[in-house]
């Protein structure tokens, strides 16, 4: 009897192989000449010197390329002629503008299974995809397909569904305003609000909290406000790696007299000292101290810390009335203060101190400082937004700012620091599974069709729908969905259940290799590429973290003539899918000014869009709280009452947070080093307190497996190396996406449904070969 040949399936996880760990002491200073050397190395290894210098010269300039990395704002006034970018911005440009390209011959020589056994770093370094690719049902290799046939295939699958709600339309944060507006317009005319996006996985908690308390789901500060503030609180954020240009703003704030307080479980180099390579002192190796007070809080201890500070502030206010709180502001502009302060009085200070892990002495130093200040900026990132209690924790930040009157004045307010260059703009354009009714009414009035009224699926709900076969087509506008999402094996199965998966991409990633029964890769232009749609050089627009809308214009020749811009791609797909559409897709395909005219007609704040966006630096969108105008249910800024909730751990359990390395942006892996933390040539590591290593009866360098047990499922991440590190006991840190496999799909933040990637309960066991 003949043996049955075993089917080898693509690998949804990063392979369990080591690359050779080297460690050193963590660095004490961020940036400086090492950052310049690293930038040059990455850029010039991916493209020639002339192409590289041209890209960098235009990066973040007022008529140039908006960095495809983070959403930190550009200066309103003069930009640096030397380098208006950071190390990670240079790495992002190197990745996108590489001259390496993947032709059909590459895909013929490399099967999907073979490619899936590469690491995410190895996959990403292969190069730009140069033409549309297709894998048929049962296929083992991608093969070239024409754009016309790709659109026909997608339209066929979409129109064969029993309901438009069986399709998922995901969006990455790098999508331009023009493409995002067209994309949501197409999806809603098609008939669904299934528009999950990367916001669902990062700052959704911020949007929910800020909308309820302040009436806008965005930050309230401006970059200029950093230079006029008295105190900057930085919570759950590592700007040295994730938003390096923020360091320049912090340096200038310090020079102007601001005090910086960092709150983070790990001592991060980028919060300590900074050598600005664009300044003579930085180039000469002279460092600027950034953080004045560093509170090494326990994982998920931020709410307890904030309430402990507020309780101590309240004690001072009770002792001497009107000495600490801004009662004129509170009485005129806020609602709910009595109930809130009654709640704070009822709390036990010792319980809060135990929950946050910060000593009373340290807390009193902070309180003494905050008591005297009236202009406070609070910054945060995913260290705050990816816990079960994230929404309430962010509301607690707002409570503190309201007590101090630190909203609605220059140099004070909220600053959620977004992680992708246009993630905020995409939401403004209507990429949202819960669209505001005003937007739907505008679409109906302007375009003449009735959009769907019911809410769609967010990211987690989309994964669950695909997993249960309730959704059958997945369309991804950018991003690396599999590697960005939680519960990797669960998500992989969800994608594989689909009849068709479509990925709009610039480079190869793991989401192309874990696909539906049929799959398409549709290659698009990047930010750096010249867009000559309609025979003219086009530009697109983006919105940064502080609500500034500005242009971005590519300056490099594309690596292939078979790439489409995202607006072109959406228009051509819409025409194929909706032959009786009421939208003038052919007009929009080649005329981006026409797209902007219709954005102006539908989205508040975009009056004279085409005129104002051509002004150097762009324009600010309206922001009510900046002017003490609060579009809330009460018409005022709202205090809210929340209770600290703990995550009980057994003696052998740890709370894990996933983090980026310094050679990484989101799921894009630029290299294998994390030099600020002293880790080189390896990503499969666990940062752990030395005392915890001893309790495990293991040694630093031991190879271990990580386990999570939830929802009757055992999740395992195998073969990680223990690295002794300065982190609170029973707290560990690991890199994503390698440990996303441990994040349960059902473990999400209350109210926002964001995966709790910073609060994963795990056990650690020695790996047995």
């Amino acid at each position: 009897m003949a043996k049955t040949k075993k089917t080898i399936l693509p690998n949804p996880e990063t392979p369990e192989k080591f690359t050779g760990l080297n460690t050193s002491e963590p660095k004490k200073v961020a940036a400086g000449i090492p950052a310049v050397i690293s930038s040059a190395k990455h850029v010039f290894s991916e493209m020639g010197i002339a192409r590289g210098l041209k890209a960098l010269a235009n990066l973040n300039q007022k008529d140039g390329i908006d960095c495809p990395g983070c959403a930190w704002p550009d200066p309103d006034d003069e930009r640096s002629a030397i380098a208006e970018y950071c190390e990670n911005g240079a790495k992002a440009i190197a990745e996108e503008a590489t001259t390496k390209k993947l032709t059909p011959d590459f895909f013929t020589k490399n099967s999907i299974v073979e490619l899936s056994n590469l690491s995410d770093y190895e996959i990403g370094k292969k190069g730009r995809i140069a033409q549309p690719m297709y894998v048929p049902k049962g296929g083992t290799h991608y093969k070239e397909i024409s754009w016309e046939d790709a659109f026909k295939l997608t339209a066929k699958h979409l129109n064969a569904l029993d309901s438009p709600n069986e399709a998922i339309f995901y969006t990455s944060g790098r999508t331009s305003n023009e493409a995002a507006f067209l994309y949501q317009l197409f999806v809603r005319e098609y008939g669904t609000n299934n528009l999950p996006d990367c916001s669902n996985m990062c700052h959704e908690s911020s949007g929910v909290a800020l909308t309820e308390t302040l009436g806008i789901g965005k930050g309230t500060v401006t970059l200029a406000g950093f230079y006029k503030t008295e105190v900057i609180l930085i919570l759950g954020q590592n700007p040295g790696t994730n938003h390096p240009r923020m360091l320049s703003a912090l340096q200038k704030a310090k020079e102007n007299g601001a005090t910086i307080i960092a709150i983070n479980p790990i001592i991060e180099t980028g919060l300590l000292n900074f050598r600005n390579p664009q300044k003579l002192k930085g180039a000469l190796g002279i460092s600027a101290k950034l953080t004045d007070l560093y509170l090494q809080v326990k994982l998920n201890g931020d709410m307890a810390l904030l309430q402990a500070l507020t309780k101590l502030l309240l004690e001072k206010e009770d002792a001497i009335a009107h000495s600490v709180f801004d009662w004129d502001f509170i009485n005129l502009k806020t609602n709910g203060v009595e109930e809130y302060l009654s709640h704070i009085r009822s709390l036990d200070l010792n319980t809060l101190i135990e929950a946050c892990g910060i000593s009373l002495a340290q807390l009193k130093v902070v309180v003494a400082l905050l008591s005297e200040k009236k202009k406070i900026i609070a910054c945060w990132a995913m260290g705050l937004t990816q816990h079960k209690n994230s929404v309430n924790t962010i509301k607690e930040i707002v409570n503190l700012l309201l007590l101090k009157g630190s909203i609605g004045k220059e140099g004070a307010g909220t600053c959620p620091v977004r992680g992708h260059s246009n993630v905020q703009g995409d939401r403004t354009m209507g990429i949202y599974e819960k669209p505001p009714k005003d937007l739907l009414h505008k679409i109906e009035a302007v375009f003449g069709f009735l959009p769907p009224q019911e809410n769609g699926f967010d990211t987690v709900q989309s994964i669950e729908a695909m997993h249960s076969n309730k959704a059958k087509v997945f369309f991804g506008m950018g991003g690396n969905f599999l590697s960005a999402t939680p519960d990797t094996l669960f998500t992989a199965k969800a994608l594989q259940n689909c009849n068709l998966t479509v990925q709009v991409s610039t480079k190869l990633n793991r989401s192309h290799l874990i696909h539906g029964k049929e799959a398409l890769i549709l290659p698009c232009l990047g930010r750096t590429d010249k867009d000559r749609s309609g025979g003219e050089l086009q530009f697109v627009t983006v919105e940064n973290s502080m609500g500034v809308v500005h242009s971005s214009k590519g300056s490099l020749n594309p690596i292939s003539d078979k790439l489409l811009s995202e607006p072109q791609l959406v228009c051509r797909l819409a025409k194929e899918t909706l032959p009786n559409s009421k939208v003038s897709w052919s007009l929009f395909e080649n005329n981006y000014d026409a797209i902007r005219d219709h954005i102006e007609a539908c989205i508040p704040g975009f009056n004279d869009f085409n005129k104002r966006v051509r002004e150097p630096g762009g324009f600010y969108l309206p922001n009510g709280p900046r002017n003490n105008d609060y579009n809330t249910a009460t018409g005022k800024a709202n205090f809210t009452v929340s209770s600290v909730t703990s995550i009980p751990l057994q003696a052998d359990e740890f709370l894990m947070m996933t983090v980026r390395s310094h050679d990484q942006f989101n799921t894009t892996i630029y290299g294998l080093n994390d030099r600020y933390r002293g880790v080189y040539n390896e990503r499969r590591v666990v940062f752990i307190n030395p005392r915890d290593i001893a309790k495990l009866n293991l040694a630093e360098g031991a190879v271990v497996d990580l386990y999570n047990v939830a929802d009757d499922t055992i999740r395992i991440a195998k073969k990680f190396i223990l690295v002794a590190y300065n982190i609170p006991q029973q707290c560990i840190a690991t890199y994503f996406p390698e440990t996303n496999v441990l994040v349960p799909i059902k473990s999400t933040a209350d109210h926002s449904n964001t995966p709790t990637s910073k609060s994963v309960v795990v056990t650690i066991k020695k790996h047995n070969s």
Side-chain angles (χ1 to χ4, degrees), residues 258-315:
T259 299
I260 297 176
I261 302 172
I263 301 169
N264 201 303
I266 290 180
I267 303 295
E268 298 287 15
T269 302
L271 289 168
L272 298 177
N273 301 289
F274 173 51
R275 288 182 187 144
N276 189 339
Q278 297 184 30
K279 305 290 185 180
L280 178 60
K281 287 184 177 180
L284 293 175
I286 301 172
S287 304
K289 181 183 177 183
L290 296 181
T291 294
D292 297 281
L293 298 169
Y294 207 120
L295 305 182
Q296 201 169 358
V297 68
K298 290 181 182 178
L299 267 177
N300 197 43
D302 302 275
M303 182 189 288
L305 170 63
L306 291 163
Q307 291 189 342
L309 291 173
T310 302
K311 188 170 181 68
L312 292 170
L313 287 167
L314 180 57
E315 289 178 359

Side-chain angles (χ1 to χ4, degrees), residues 207-244:
V208 172
L210 296 175
T211 298
E212 182 177 333
T213 56
L214 300 179
I216 188 170
K218 304 177 182 182
T220 66
V221 301
T222 65
L223 184 57
F226 274 75
Y227 312 144
K228 299 179 180 181
T229 192
E230 295 174 306
V231 178
I232 301 173
L233 300 173
I234 305 175
L235 304 96
Q237 185 197 1
N238 177 16
T241 287
N242 300 331
H243 314 92

Side-chain angles (χ1 to χ4, degrees), residues 16 18 654 684 686 696 698 702-708 715-722 732 739 742 762-769:
E16 300 158 4
F18 296 133
F654 297 83
R684 301 187 74 83
V686 179
L696 290 169
L698 296 172
V703 178
V704 300
D705 300 332
L706 307 177
Y707 293 79
N708 167 270
R715 300 169 180 84
I716 309 174
K718 294 183 177 180
K719 294 186 68 175
F720 285 77
I721 302 170
L722 295 182
I732 63 172
T739 52
L742 298 170
V762 301
T763 55
I764 301 174
K765 298 180 181 179
K766 184 177 180 180
H767 176 76
N768 294 314
S769 302

Side-chain angles (χ1 to χ4, degrees), residues 388-408:
K388 185 171 177 57
N389 61 356
S390 287
V391 171
N392 288 341
T393 298
I394 295 164
K395 288 180 180 178
E396 206 62 51
I397 293 174
V398 174
N399 288 334
L400 176 60
L401 294 175
L402 293 180
L403 288 173
K404 295 297 298 178
S406 283
I407 298 284

Side-chain angles (χ1 to χ4, degrees), residues 63-74:
D63 194 33
I65 305 162
D66 182 65
C67 179
C70 80
W72 187 253
D74 305 308

Side-chain angles (χ1 to χ4, degrees), residues 46-354:
E46 293 291 342
M47 65 190 92
I49 293 177
R51 182 178 173 91
L53 291 175
K54 185 175 183 180
L56 294 176
N58 285 284
L59 187 56
N60 293 322
Q61 298 299 330
K62 286 187 176 179
D63 194 33
I65 305 162
D66 182 65
C67 179
C70 80
W72 187 253
D74 305 308
D76 288 335
D77 44 22
E78 292 300 315
R79 311 278 169 93
S80 169
I82 302 172
E84 191 57 65
Y85 54 86
C86 65
E87 177 187 353
N88 271 12
K91 292 175 183 175
I93 288 295
E95 284 287 307
E96 181 183 291
T98 180
T99 53
K100 301 172 187 174
K101 59 182 178 180
L102 307 184
T103 64
D105 185 57
F106 171 85
F107 291 96
T108 299
K109 293 177 179 177
N110 295 276
S111 72
I112 292 170
V113 168
E114 289 169 337
L115 291 171
S116 76
N117 286 318
L118 300 176
S119 69
D120 290 71
Y121 168 66
E122 292 168 323
I123 292 170
K125 285 298 180 183
K126 293 300 180 184
R128 288 281 295 268
I129 301 166
Q131 61 287 309
M133 302 301 298
Y134 167 65
V135 60
K137 186 175 181 179
T140 58
H141 293 67
Y142 274 100
K143 61 182 181 181
E144 185 175 6
I145 186 174
S146 69
W147 278 106
E148 181 181 7
D149 287 343
F151 291 133
K152 285 182 177 179
L153 178 68
T154 307
K156 175 184 174 182
H157 275 275
L158 289 174
N159 289 326
L161 297 176
D162 292 335
S163 164
N165 291 324
E166 293 181 343
I168 305 296
F169 296 91
Y170 175 75
T171 311
S172 158
R174 71 120 206 254
T175 306
S176 69
N177 288 331
E178 290 74 12
F181 180 78
L182 293 180
Y183 189 49
Q184 64 83 30
L185 187 66
F186 159 63
V187 171
R188 293 192 164 107
E189 189 177 22
Y190 171 69
T192 185
N193 283 316
N194 287 347
L195 281 160
D197 71 336
C198 56
S199 272
N200 296 150
M201 294 180 286
C202 57
H203 271 287
E204 197 68 54
S205 297
S206 301
V208 172
L210 296 175
T211 298
E212 182 177 333
T213 56
L214 300 179
I216 188 170
K218 304 177 182 182
T220 66
V221 301
T222 65
L223 184 57
F226 274 75
Y227 312 144
K228 299 179 180 181
T229 192
E230 295 174 306
V231 178
I232 301 173
L233 300 173
I234 305 175
L235 304 96
Q237 185 197 1
N238 177 16
T241 287
N242 300 331
H243 314 92
R245 285 205 299 158
M246 183 178 174
L247 300 184
S248 298
L250 296 178
Q251 181 185 23
K252 188 171 180 179
K254 284 281 293 183
E255 291 170 351
N256 291 349
T259 299
I260 297 176
I261 302 172
I263 301 169
N264 201 303
I266 290 180
I267 303 295
E268 298 287 15
T269 302
L271 289 168
L272 298 177
N273 301 289
F274 173 51
R275 288 182 187 144
N276 189 339
Q278 297 184 30
K279 305 290 185 180
L280 178 60
K281 287 184 177 180
L284 293 175
I286 301 172
S287 304
K289 181 183 177 183
L290 296 181
T291 294
D292 297 281
L293 298 169
Y294 207 120
L295 305 182
Q296 201 169 358
V297 68
K298 290 181 182 178
L299 267 177
N300 197 43
D302 302 275
M303 182 189 288
L305 170 63
L306 291 163
Q307 291 189 342
L309 291 173
T310 302
K311 188 170 181 68
L312 292 170
L313 287 167
L314 180 57
E315 289 178 359
K316 296 191 70 170
E317 174 67 22
D318 285 343
I320 306 175
H322 299 275
S323 63
V324 178
F325 297 160
D326 187 341
W327 284 103
D328 289 340
F329 171 83
I330 292 169
N331 291 329
L332 184 65
K333 293 295 183 180
T334 74
N335 174 72
V337 68
E338 296 85 359
E339 182 182 1
Y340 174 67
L341 292 181
S342 176
H343 170 67
I344 292 298
R345 285 191 174 94
S346 72
L347 300 177
D348 178 68
L349 183 60
N350 290 328
T351 301
L352 296 174
I353 290 172
E354 173 63 25

